[in-house]
Amino acid sequence: AFTTSPKAATKSSTSLSMAKFRSALQYVPCLPIDLLPAPGKATSGVAGGLAICIAVSKSGSVYALGDKCPPINQPLSFGKVNDDGTIQDPLLGTKFDLKTGQVVGKWCPSGIGGIIGGAFSPEGVPVFPVKQSKGVIEVQVDVNAKFNFEANFWSGVLDAQGKADGKYY
């Protein structure tokens, strides 16, 4: 019942950003198996510092997608898992394919979605391979993606995040 992604997670988007750390795909724990939602539902988890939506289709297949719905980044895990193999953005109404993450049907079809979505091009969500191991749902992610995203942030005396060694001033 666990699914894998055809190519979507094999290339990290960090590879385009002069990354300081090489892409490193690994299966990492995301959600204890006892917190797996019932068929037709979704929940959120974190894997490698990335927000992940764990969705279970009506047939019981488990999928992992990015938990940020474009264009305004509300949680996809609040969405509705549909009978047609999609999960629907809870606010703007866009449907995303559970297997590919691509937009299915109309982009931002809800009332407010027409206003907001009209300013953005249709965009899918990332999908990730998923498996069960030792009572945990594991998701394959680029474990260096968060490091590469944060690598270009300035750090110094006024840095609210503290020193580079993890300590505070």
Side-chain angles (χ1 to χ4, degrees):
F2 289 84
T3 61
T4 59
S5 166
K7 300 181 186 174
T10 59
K11 183 176 179 186
S12 169
S13 62
T14 60
S15 63
L16 302 175
S17 64
M18 296 176 52
K20 292 184 178 187
F21 301 96
R22 184 172 223 136
S23 180
L25 294 175
Q26 294 179 11
Y27 277 96
V28 295
C30 182
L31 188 74
I33 195 77
D34 58 332
L35 296 180
L36 190 67
K41 303 285 183 186
T43 191
S44 61
V46 175
L50 303 174
I52 303 292
C53 168
I54 300 293
V56 181
S57 70
K58 304 270 178 151
S59 66
S61 295
V62 179
Y63 298 90
L65 303 94
D67 200 25
K68 305 287 183 191
C69 290
I72 58 173
N73 292 335
Q74 69 277 4
L76 184 60
S77 55
F78 291 172
K80 177 184 175 193
V81 178
N82 299 306
D83 292 333
D84 62 357
T86 63
I87 185 167
Q88 189 168 356
D89 177 332
L91 182 62
L92 304 180
T94 304
K95 289 183 178 183
F96 301 95
D97 187 284
L98 289 170
K99 293 179 183 176
T100 66
Q102 296 303 307
V103 174
V104 175
K106 189 174 179 187
W107 170 251
C108 300
S110 73
I112 193 168
I115 297 167
I116 296 171
F120 299 91
S121 296
E123 181 182 344
V125 294
V127 295
F128 305 94
V130 61
K131 69 178 185 176
Q132 178 183 346
S133 178
K134 301 177 186 170
V136 175
I137 301 300
E138 293 186 345
V139 176
Q140 186 185 48
V141 297
D142 177 0
V143 294
N144 287 336
K146 184 173 185 257
F147 296 124
N148 282 325
F149 177 78
E150 294 173 346
N152 294 322
F153 286 111
W154 177 81
S155 62
V157 175
L158 300 176
D159 181 12
Q161 305 235 355
K163 295 181 180 180
D165 64 5
K167 297 182 180 175
Y168 292 92
Y169 294 98

